[in-house]
Amino acid sequence: MTQQWGRKNVMMISAALSLISYAGLQFTAFSSIPLILFLLFVSGFFTTPLNTLAWGMLADCVDYAEWKTGIRADGVVISSMSFTNKLGVALAGSFSAFFLNKAGYVPNAAQSVSSLQAIKDMNAIIPGIFILLSVLLISFYPITENRYKKMMKELEQKR
């Protein structure tokens, strides 16, 4: 798909489809377990390319930086992305515990409507907000397929 439509376009399409599934999840009744599971599967299916492409596009960014500055800093760029990823996971775990506590979640018990809504929000609205944010950020991504080919030709000539 990326060869036919380009990485940026595939990310935008994948994000849009993911957002649709998250919106569907948000408006699904608590009792519709099969539909909830289906929408969680669909959202995960369309979110996975976003994560995969982000790591692939990171290498493009390393090449872009070398093309612009003449300095290749793979280690700094990749370790920064890895650190940011780990920090995000840690913050998400802490946020989830705090959010559930505020909503009145009680482990191993029937949940209140507020705790069920909090669980739904954490599985639909919050990821949706971050995917929407990623769409806004990726819209500024300057490396098209043609530009990347041009960059690589110029870099090969310099090396």
mmCIF file with all atom_site columns, all heavy atoms in Angstrom, residues 84-108:
data_model
loop_
_atom_site.group_PDB
_atom_site.id
_atom_site.type_symbol
_atom_site.label_atom_id
_atom_site.label_alt_id
_atom_site.label_comp_id
_atom_site.label_asym_id
_atom_site.label_entity_id
_atom_site.label_seq_id
_atom_site.pdbx_PDB_ins_code
_atom_site.Cartn_x
_atom_site.Cartn_y
_atom_site.Cartn_z
_atom_site.occupancy
_atom_site.B_iso_or_equiv
_atom_site.pdbx_formal_charge
_atom_site.auth_seq_id
_atom_site.auth_comp_id
_atom_site.auth_asym_id
_atom_site.auth_atom_id
_atom_site.pdbx_PDB_model_num
ATOM 1   N N   . THR A 1 84  ? 10.849  8.419  24.201 1.00 0.00 ? 84  THR A N   1
ATOM 2   C CA  . THR A 1 84  ? 9.535   9.054  24.173 1.00 0.00 ? 84  THR A CA  1
ATOM 3   C C   . THR A 1 84  ? 8.429   8.007  24.218 1.00 0.00 ? 84  THR A C   1
ATOM 4   O O   . THR A 1 84  ? 7.421   8.173  24.914 1.00 0.00 ? 84  THR A O   1
ATOM 5   C CB  . THR A 1 84  ? 9.385   9.935  22.913 1.00 0.00 ? 84  THR A CB  1
ATOM 6   O OG1 . THR A 1 84  ? 10.457  10.885 22.898 1.00 0.00 ? 84  THR A OG1 1
ATOM 7   C CG2 . THR A 1 84  ? 8.068   10.656 22.870 1.00 0.00 ? 84  THR A CG2 1
ATOM 8   N N   . ASN A 1 85  ? 8.626   6.923  23.502 1.00 0.00 ? 85  ASN A N   1
ATOM 9   C CA  . ASN A 1 85  ? 7.670   5.817  23.492 1.00 0.00 ? 85  ASN A CA  1
ATOM 10  C C   . ASN A 1 85  ? 7.516   5.232  24.891 1.00 0.00 ? 85  ASN A C   1
ATOM 11  O O   . ASN A 1 85  ? 6.401   5.021  25.376 1.00 0.00 ? 85  ASN A O   1
ATOM 12  C CB  . ASN A 1 85  ? 8.166   4.748  22.521 1.00 0.00 ? 85  ASN A CB  1
ATOM 13  C CG  . ASN A 1 85  ? 7.075   4.149  21.697 1.00 0.00 ? 85  ASN A CG  1
ATOM 14  O OD1 . ASN A 1 85  ? 5.937   4.552  21.762 1.00 0.00 ? 85  ASN A OD1 1
ATOM 15  N ND2 . ASN A 1 85  ? 7.440   3.162  20.908 1.00 0.00 ? 85  ASN A ND2 1
ATOM 16  N N   . LYS A 1 86  ? 8.632   4.970  25.552 1.00 0.00 ? 86  LYS A N   1
ATOM 17  C CA  . LYS A 1 86  ? 8.596   4.385  26.901 1.00 0.00 ? 86  LYS A CA  1
ATOM 18  C C   . LYS A 1 86  ? 7.987   5.350  27.910 1.00 0.00 ? 86  LYS A C   1
ATOM 19  O O   . LYS A 1 86  ? 7.236   4.939  28.797 1.00 0.00 ? 86  LYS A O   1
ATOM 20  C CB  . LYS A 1 86  ? 10.000  3.962  27.323 1.00 0.00 ? 86  LYS A CB  1
ATOM 21  C CG  . LYS A 1 86  ? 10.486  2.765  26.539 1.00 0.00 ? 86  LYS A CG  1
ATOM 22  C CD  . LYS A 1 86  ? 11.915  2.422  26.838 1.00 0.00 ? 86  LYS A CD  1
ATOM 23  C CE  . LYS A 1 86  ? 12.319  1.261  25.924 1.00 0.00 ? 86  LYS A CE  1
ATOM 24  N NZ  . LYS A 1 86  ? 13.689  0.886  26.055 1.00 0.00 ? 86  LYS A NZ  1
ATOM 25  N N   . LEU A 1 87  ? 8.292   6.618  27.779 1.00 0.00 ? 87  LEU A N   1
ATOM 26  C CA  . LEU A 1 87  ? 7.710   7.623  28.660 1.00 0.00 ? 87  LEU A CA  1
ATOM 27  C C   . LEU A 1 87  ? 6.192   7.674  28.472 1.00 0.00 ? 87  LEU A C   1
ATOM 28  O O   . LEU A 1 87  ? 5.433   7.742  29.446 1.00 0.00 ? 87  LEU A O   1
ATOM 29  C CB  . LEU A 1 87  ? 8.327   8.995  28.383 1.00 0.00 ? 87  LEU A CB  1
ATOM 30  C CG  . LEU A 1 87  ? 7.818   10.149 29.238 1.00 0.00 ? 87  LEU A CG  1
ATOM 31  C CD1 . LEU A 1 87  ? 8.147   9.929  30.710 1.00 0.00 ? 87  LEU A CD1 1
ATOM 32  C CD2 . LEU A 1 87  ? 8.416   11.467 28.744 1.00 0.00 ? 87  LEU A CD2 1
ATOM 33  N N   . GLY A 1 88  ? 5.747   7.608  27.228 1.00 0.00 ? 88  GLY A N   1
ATOM 34  C CA  . GLY A 1 88  ? 4.313   7.607  26.931 1.00 0.00 ? 88  GLY A CA  1
ATOM 35  C C   . GLY A 1 88  ? 3.602   6.414  27.543 1.00 0.00 ? 88  GLY A C   1
ATOM 36  O O   . GLY A 1 88  ? 2.506   6.546  28.096 1.00 0.00 ? 88  GLY A O   1
ATOM 37  N N   . VAL A 1 89  ? 4.230   5.243  27.471 1.00 0.00 ? 89  VAL A N   1
ATOM 38  C CA  . VAL A 1 89  ? 3.628   4.041  28.058 1.00 0.00 ? 89  VAL A CA  1
ATOM 39  C C   . VAL A 1 89  ? 3.525   4.193  29.581 1.00 0.00 ? 89  VAL A C   1
ATOM 40  O O   . VAL A 1 89  ? 2.507   3.856  30.190 1.00 0.00 ? 89  VAL A O   1
ATOM 41  C CB  . VAL A 1 89  ? 4.439   2.780  27.671 1.00 0.00 ? 89  VAL A CB  1
ATOM 42  C CG1 . VAL A 1 89  ? 4.016   1.571  28.487 1.00 0.00 ? 89  VAL A CG1 1
ATOM 43  C CG2 . VAL A 1 89  ? 4.275   2.497  26.181 1.00 0.00 ? 89  VAL A CG2 1
ATOM 44  N N   . ALA A 1 90  ? 4.581   4.705  30.202 1.00 0.00 ? 90  ALA A N   1
ATOM 45  C CA  . ALA A 1 90  ? 4.566   4.901  31.656 1.00 0.00 ? 90  ALA A CA  1
ATOM 46  C C   . ALA A 1 90  ? 3.496   5.914  32.071 1.00 0.00 ? 90  ALA A C   1
ATOM 47  O O   . ALA A 1 90  ? 2.748   5.684  33.026 1.00 0.00 ? 90  ALA A O   1
ATOM 48  C CB  . ALA A 1 90  ? 5.939   5.365  32.135 1.00 0.00 ? 90  ALA A CB  1
ATOM 49  N N   . LEU A 1 91  ? 3.413   7.016  31.341 1.00 0.00 ? 91  LEU A N   1
ATOM 50  C CA  . LEU A 1 91  ? 2.410   8.031  31.659 1.00 0.00 ? 91  LEU A CA  1
ATOM 51  C C   . LEU A 1 91  ? 0.996   7.503  31.421 1.00 0.00 ? 91  LEU A C   1
ATOM 52  O O   . LEU A 1 91  ? 0.078   7.799  32.194 1.00 0.00 ? 91  LEU A O   1
ATOM 53  C CB  . LEU A 1 91  ? 2.647   9.300  30.849 1.00 0.00 ? 91  LEU A CB  1
ATOM 54  C CG  . LEU A 1 91  ? 3.901   10.098 31.218 1.00 0.00 ? 91  LEU A CG  1
ATOM 55  C CD1 . LEU A 1 91  ? 4.098   11.266 30.255 1.00 0.00 ? 91  LEU A CD1 1
ATOM 56  C CD2 . LEU A 1 91  ? 3.835   10.586 32.652 1.00 0.00 ? 91  LEU A CD2 1
ATOM 57  N N   . ALA A 1 92  ? 0.815   6.719  30.371 1.00 0.00 ? 92  ALA A N   1
ATOM 58  C CA  . ALA A 1 92  ? -0.506  6.163  30.076 1.00 0.00 ? 92  ALA A CA  1
ATOM 59  C C   . ALA A 1 92  ? -0.960  5.223  31.188 1.00 0.00 ? 92  ALA A C   1
ATOM 60  O O   . ALA A 1 92  ? -2.129  5.252  31.601 1.00 0.00 ? 92  ALA A O   1
ATOM 61  C CB  . ALA A 1 92  ? -0.486  5.428  28.737 1.00 0.00 ? 92  ALA A CB  1
ATOM 62  N N   . GLY A 1 93  ? -0.049  4.402  31.685 1.00 0.00 ? 93  GLY A N   1
ATOM 63  C CA  . GLY A 1 93  ? -0.397  3.503  32.782 1.00 0.00 ? 93  GLY A CA  1
ATOM 64  C C   . GLY A 1 93  ? -0.786  4.269  34.036 1.00 0.00 ? 93  GLY A C   1
ATOM 65  O O   . GLY A 1 93  ? -1.783  3.951  34.696 1.00 0.00 ? 93  GLY A O   1
ATOM 66  N N   . SER A 1 94  ? -0.018  5.300  34.342 1.00 0.00 ? 94  SER A N   1
ATOM 67  C CA  . SER A 1 94  ? -0.320  6.120  35.523 1.00 0.00 ? 94  SER A CA  1
ATOM 68  C C   . SER A 1 94  ? -1.644  6.861  35.342 1.00 0.00 ? 94  SER A C   1
ATOM 69  O O   . SER A 1 94  ? -2.470  6.920  36.265 1.00 0.00 ? 94  SER A O   1
ATOM 70  C CB  . SER A 1 94  ? 0.792   7.141  35.754 1.00 0.00 ? 94  SER A CB  1
ATOM 71  O OG  . SER A 1 94  ? 2.005   6.485  35.989 1.00 0.00 ? 94  SER A OG  1
ATOM 72  N N   . PHE A 1 95  ? -1.834  7.422  34.164 1.00 0.00 ? 95  PHE A N   1
ATOM 73  C CA  . PHE A 1 95  ? -3.067  8.145  33.875 1.00 0.00 ? 95  PHE A CA  1
ATOM 74  C C   . PHE A 1 95  ? -4.268  7.213  33.984 1.00 0.00 ? 95  PHE A C   1
ATOM 75  O O   . PHE A 1 95  ? -5.300  7.593  34.554 1.00 0.00 ? 95  PHE A O   1
ATOM 76  C CB  . PHE A 1 95  ? -3.004  8.767  32.486 1.00 0.00 ? 95  PHE A CB  1
ATOM 77  C CG  . PHE A 1 95  ? -4.295  9.401  32.058 1.00 0.00 ? 95  PHE A CG  1
ATOM 78  C CD1 . PHE A 1 95  ? -4.658  10.659 32.531 1.00 0.00 ? 95  PHE A CD1 1
ATOM 79  C CD2 . PHE A 1 95  ? -5.156  8.740  31.202 1.00 0.00 ? 95  PHE A CD2 1
ATOM 80  C CE1 . PHE A 1 95  ? -5.862  11.241 32.152 1.00 0.00 ? 95  PHE A CE1 1
ATOM 81  C CE2 . PHE A 1 95  ? -6.360  9.309  30.820 1.00 0.00 ? 95  PHE A CE2 1
ATOM 82  C CZ  . PHE A 1 95  ? -6.714  10.564 31.292 1.00 0.00 ? 95  PHE A CZ  1
ATOM 83  N N   . SER A 1 96  ? -4.145  5.999  33.458 1.00 0.00 ? 96  SER A N   1
ATOM 84  C CA  . SER A 1 96  ? -5.253  5.040  33.502 1.00 0.00 ? 96  SER A CA  1
ATOM 85  C C   . SER A 1 96  ? -5.652  4.727  34.933 1.00 0.00 ? 96  SER A C   1
ATOM 86  O O   . SER A 1 96  ? -6.845  4.715  35.271 1.00 0.00 ? 96  SER A O   1
ATOM 87  C CB  . SER A 1 96  ? -4.865  3.740  32.788 1.00 0.00 ? 96  SER A CB  1
ATOM 88  O OG  . SER A 1 96  ? -4.616  3.987  31.439 1.00 0.00 ? 96  SER A OG  1
ATOM 89  N N   . ALA A 1 97  ? -4.667  4.477  35.786 1.00 0.00 ? 97  ALA A N   1
ATOM 90  C CA  . ALA A 1 97  ? -4.962  4.177  37.191 1.00 0.00 ? 97  ALA A CA  1
ATOM 91  C C   . ALA A 1 97  ? -5.646  5.367  37.864 1.00 0.00 ? 97  ALA A C   1
ATOM 92  O O   . ALA A 1 97  ? -6.641  5.205  38.585 1.00 0.00 ? 97  ALA A O   1
ATOM 93  C CB  . ALA A 1 97  ? -3.680  3.806  37.928 1.00 0.00 ? 97  ALA A CB  1
ATOM 94  N N   . PHE A 1 98  ? -5.141  6.555  37.628 1.00 0.00 ? 98  PHE A N   1
ATOM 95  C CA  . PHE A 1 98  ? -5.716  7.763  38.212 1.00 0.00 ? 98  PHE A CA  1
ATOM 96  C C   . PHE A 1 98  ? -7.147  7.980  37.711 1.00 0.00 ? 98  PHE A C   1
ATOM 97  O O   . PHE A 1 98  ? -8.063  8.259  38.485 1.00 0.00 ? 98  PHE A O   1
ATOM 98  C CB  . PHE A 1 98  ? -4.831  8.975  37.875 1.00 0.00 ? 98  PHE A CB  1
ATOM 99  C CG  . PHE A 1 98  ? -5.389  10.281 38.332 1.00 0.00 ? 98  PHE A CG  1
ATOM 100 C CD1 . PHE A 1 98  ? -5.293  10.667 39.664 1.00 0.00 ? 98  PHE A CD1 1
ATOM 101 C CD2 . PHE A 1 98  ? -6.016  11.135 37.436 1.00 0.00 ? 98  PHE A CD2 1
ATOM 102 C CE1 . PHE A 1 98  ? -5.827  11.877 40.099 1.00 0.00 ? 98  PHE A CE1 1
ATOM 103 C CE2 . PHE A 1 98  ? -6.547  12.346 37.861 1.00 0.00 ? 98  PHE A CE2 1
ATOM 104 C CZ  . PHE A 1 98  ? -6.455  12.715 39.191 1.00 0.00 ? 98  PHE A CZ  1
ATOM 105 N N   . PHE A 1 99  ? -7.343  7.851  36.399 1.00 0.00 ? 99  PHE A N   1
ATOM 106 C CA  . PHE A 1 99  ? -8.642  8.076  35.767 1.00 0.00 ? 99  PHE A CA  1
ATOM 107 C C   . PHE A 1 99  ? -9.682  7.083  36.284 1.00 0.00 ? 99  PHE A C   1
ATOM 108 O O   . PHE A 1 99  ? -10.812 7.458  36.605 1.00 0.00 ? 99  PHE A O   1
ATOM 109 C CB  . PHE A 1 99  ? -8.468  7.971  34.247 1.00 0.00 ? 99  PHE A CB  1
ATOM 110 C CG  . PHE A 1 99  ? -9.589  8.548  33.436 1.00 0.00 ? 99  PHE A CG  1
ATOM 111 C CD1 . PHE A 1 99  ? -9.897  9.892  33.494 1.00 0.00 ? 99  PHE A CD1 1
ATOM 112 C CD2 . PHE A 1 99  ? -10.325 7.734  32.585 1.00 0.00 ? 99  PHE A CD2 1
ATOM 113 C CE1 . PHE A 1 99  ? -10.919 10.430 32.723 1.00 0.00 ? 99  PHE A CE1 1
ATOM 114 C CE2 . PHE A 1 99  ? -11.343 8.260  31.805 1.00 0.00 ? 99  PHE A CE2 1
ATOM 115 C CZ  . PHE A 1 99  ? -11.637 9.612  31.883 1.00 0.00 ? 99  PHE A CZ  1
ATOM 116 N N   . LEU A 1 100 ? -9.295  5.813  36.379 1.00 0.00 ? 100 LEU A N   1
ATOM 117 C CA  . LEU A 1 100 ? -10.224 4.795  36.875 1.00 0.00 ? 100 LEU A CA  1
ATOM 118 C C   . LEU A 1 100 ? -10.567 5.031  38.352 1.00 0.00 ? 100 LEU A C   1
ATOM 119 O O   . LEU A 1 100 ? -11.710 4.860  38.770 1.00 0.00 ? 100 LEU A O   1
ATOM 120 C CB  . LEU A 1 100 ? -9.641  3.398  36.687 1.00 0.00 ? 100 LEU A CB  1
ATOM 121 C CG  . LEU A 1 100 ? -9.663  2.862  35.265 1.00 0.00 ? 100 LEU A CG  1
ATOM 122 C CD1 . LEU A 1 100 ? -8.923  1.533  35.183 1.00 0.00 ? 100 LEU A CD1 1
ATOM 123 C CD2 . LEU A 1 100 ? -11.085 2.718  34.755 1.00 0.00 ? 100 LEU A CD2 1
ATOM 124 N N   . ASN A 1 101 ? -9.568  5.411  39.128 1.00 0.00 ? 101 ASN A N   1
ATOM 125 C CA  . ASN A 1 101 ? -9.805  5.701  40.542 1.00 0.00 ? 101 ASN A CA  1
ATOM 126 C C   . ASN A 1 101 ? -10.802 6.854  40.706 1.00 0.00 ? 101 ASN A C   1
ATOM 127 O O   . ASN A 1 101 ? -11.732 6.780  41.509 1.00 0.00 ? 101 ASN A O   1
ATOM 128 C CB  . ASN A 1 101 ? -8.484  6.021  41.244 1.00 0.00 ? 101 ASN A CB  1
ATOM 129 C CG  . ASN A 1 101 ? -8.666  6.229  42.724 1.00 0.00 ? 101 ASN A CG  1
ATOM 130 O OD1 . ASN A 1 101 ? -9.350  5.453  43.388 1.00 0.00 ? 101 ASN A OD1 1
ATOM 131 N ND2 . ASN A 1 101 ? -8.047  7.270  43.251 1.00 0.00 ? 101 ASN A ND2 1
ATOM 132 N N   . LYS A 1 102 ? -10.609 7.919  39.927 1.00 0.00 ? 102 LYS A N   1
ATOM 133 C CA  . LYS A 1 102 ? -11.511 9.075  39.984 1.00 0.00 ? 102 LYS A CA  1
ATOM 134 C C   . LYS A 1 102 ? -12.936 8.702  39.567 1.00 0.00 ? 102 LYS A C   1
ATOM 135 O O   . LYS A 1 102 ? -13.902 9.300  40.045 1.00 0.00 ? 102 LYS A O   1
ATOM 136 C CB  . LYS A 1 102 ? -11.007 10.204 39.074 1.00 0.00 ? 102 LYS A CB  1
ATOM 137 C CG  . LYS A 1 102 ? -9.893  10.995 39.673 1.00 0.00 ? 102 LYS A CG  1
ATOM 138 C CD  . LYS A 1 102 ? -10.427 11.805 40.824 1.00 0.00 ? 102 LYS A CD  1
ATOM 139 C CE  . LYS A 1 102 ? -9.446  12.847 41.255 1.00 0.00 ? 102 LYS A CE  1
ATOM 140 N NZ  . LYS A 1 102 ? -9.827  13.456 42.508 1.00 0.00 ? 102 LYS A NZ  1
ATOM 141 N N   . ALA A 1 103 ? -13.053 7.718  38.658 1.00 0.00 ? 103 ALA A N   1
ATOM 142 C CA  . ALA A 1 103 ? -14.369 7.321  38.157 1.00 0.00 ? 103 ALA A CA  1
ATOM 143 C C   . ALA A 1 103 ? -15.070 6.332  39.086 1.00 0.00 ? 103 ALA A C   1
ATOM 144 O O   . ALA A 1 103 ? -16.206 5.931  38.827 1.00 0.00 ? 103 ALA A O   1
ATOM 145 C CB  . ALA A 1 103 ? -14.232 6.720  36.766 1.00 0.00 ? 103 ALA A CB  1
ATOM 146 N N   . GLY A 1 104 ? -14.386 5.900  40.147 1.00 0.00 ? 104 GLY A N   1
ATOM 147 C CA  . GLY A 1 104 ? -15.012 4.995  41.098 1.00 0.00 ? 104 GLY A CA  1
ATOM 148 C C   . GLY A 1 104 ? -14.879 3.525  40.754 1.00 0.00 ? 104 GLY A C   1
ATOM 149 O O   . GLY A 1 104 ? -15.675 2.701  41.200 1.00 0.00 ? 104 GLY A O   1
ATOM 150 N N   . TYR A 1 105 ? -13.869 3.168  39.976 1.00 0.00 ? 105 TYR A N   1
ATOM 151 C CA  . TYR A 1 105 ? -13.652 1.768  39.618 1.00 0.00 ? 105 TYR A CA  1
ATOM 152 C C   . TYR A 1 105 ? -13.344 0.945  40.868 1.00 0.00 ? 105 TYR A C   1
ATOM 153 O O   . TYR A 1 105 ? -12.534 1.339  41.706 1.00 0.00 ? 105 TYR A O   1
ATOM 154 C CB  . TYR A 1 105 ? -12.488 1.665  38.627 1.00 0.00 ? 105 TYR A CB  1
ATOM 155 C CG  . TYR A 1 105 ? -12.135 0.244  38.251 1.00 0.00 ? 105 TYR A CG  1
ATOM 156 C CD1 . TYR A 1 105 ? -12.873 -0.439 37.298 1.00 0.00 ? 105 TYR A CD1 1
ATOM 157 C CD2 . TYR A 1 105 ? -11.067 -0.401 38.861 1.00 0.00 ? 105 TYR A CD2 1
ATOM 158 C CE1 . TYR A 1 105 ? -12.552 -1.738 36.947 1.00 0.00 ? 105 TYR A CE1 1
ATOM 159 C CE2 . TYR A 1 105 ? -10.742 -1.699 38.525 1.00 0.00 ? 105 TYR A CE2 1
ATOM 160 C CZ  . TYR A 1 105 ? -11.490 -2.367 37.574 1.00 0.00 ? 105 TYR A CZ  1
ATOM 161 O OH  . TYR A 1 105 ? -11.176 -3.656 37.236 1.00 0.00 ? 105 TYR A OH  1
ATOM 162 N N   . VAL A 1 106 ? -14.005 -0.207 40.974 1.00 0.00 ? 106 VAL A N   1
ATOM 163 C CA  . VAL A 1 106 ? -13.753 -1.140 42.073 1.00 0.00 ? 106 VAL A CA  1
ATOM 164 C C   . VAL A 1 106 ? -13.400 -2.485 41.447 1.00 0.00 ? 106 VAL A C   1
ATOM 165 O O   . VAL A 1 106 ? -14.206 -3.073 40.731 1.00 0.00 ? 106 VAL A O   1
ATOM 166 C CB  . VAL A 1 106 ? -15.006 -1.289 42.973 1.00 0.00 ? 106 VAL A CB  1
ATOM 167 C CG1 . VAL A 1 106 ? -14.744 -2.286 44.095 1.00 0.00 ? 106 VAL A CG1 1
ATOM 168 C CG2 . VAL A 1 106 ? -15.438 0.053  43.520 1.00 0.00 ? 106 VAL A CG2 1
ATOM 169 N N   . PRO A 1 107 ? -12.184 -2.985 41.713 1.00 0.00 ? 107 PRO A N   1
ATOM 170 C CA  . PRO A 1 107 ? -11.788 -4.273 41.119 1.00 0.00 ? 107 PRO A CA  1
ATOM 171 C C   . PRO A 1 107 ? -12.694 -5.421 41.580 1.00 0.00 ? 107 PRO A C   1
ATOM 172 O O   . PRO A 1 107 ? -13.182 -5.421 42.704 1.00 0.00 ? 107 PRO A O   1
ATOM 173 C CB  . PRO A 1 107 ? -10.365 -4.480 41.614 1.00 0.00 ? 107 PRO A CB  1
ATOM 174 C CG  . PRO A 1 107 ? -9.970  -3.276 42.363 1.00 0.00 ? 107 PRO A CG  1
ATOM 175 C CD  . PRO A 1 107 ? -11.164 -2.419 42.563 1.00 0.00 ? 107 PRO A CD  1
ATOM 176 N N   . ASN A 1 108 ? -12.894 -6.367 40.696 1.00 0.00 ? 108 ASN A N   1
ATOM 177 C CA  . ASN A 1 108 ? -13.648 -7.599 40.991 1.00 0.00 ? 108 ASN A CA  1
ATOM 178 C C   . ASN A 1 108 ? -15.064 -7.319 41.504 1.00 0.00 ? 108 ASN A C   1
ATOM 179 O O   . ASN A 1 108 ? -15.553 -8.013 42.394 1.00 0.00 ? 108 ASN A O   1
ATOM 180 C CB  . ASN A 1 108 ? -12.887 -8.473 41.994 1.00 0.00 ? 108 ASN A CB  1
ATOM 181 C CG  . ASN A 1 108 ? -11.504 -8.821 41.499 1.00 0.00 ? 108 ASN A CG  1
ATOM 182 O OD1 . ASN A 1 108 ? -11.314 -9.130 40.330 1.00 0.00 ? 108 ASN A OD1 1
ATOM 183 N ND2 . ASN A 1 108 ? -10.530 -8.744 42.381 1.00 0.00 ? 108 ASN A ND2 1
#
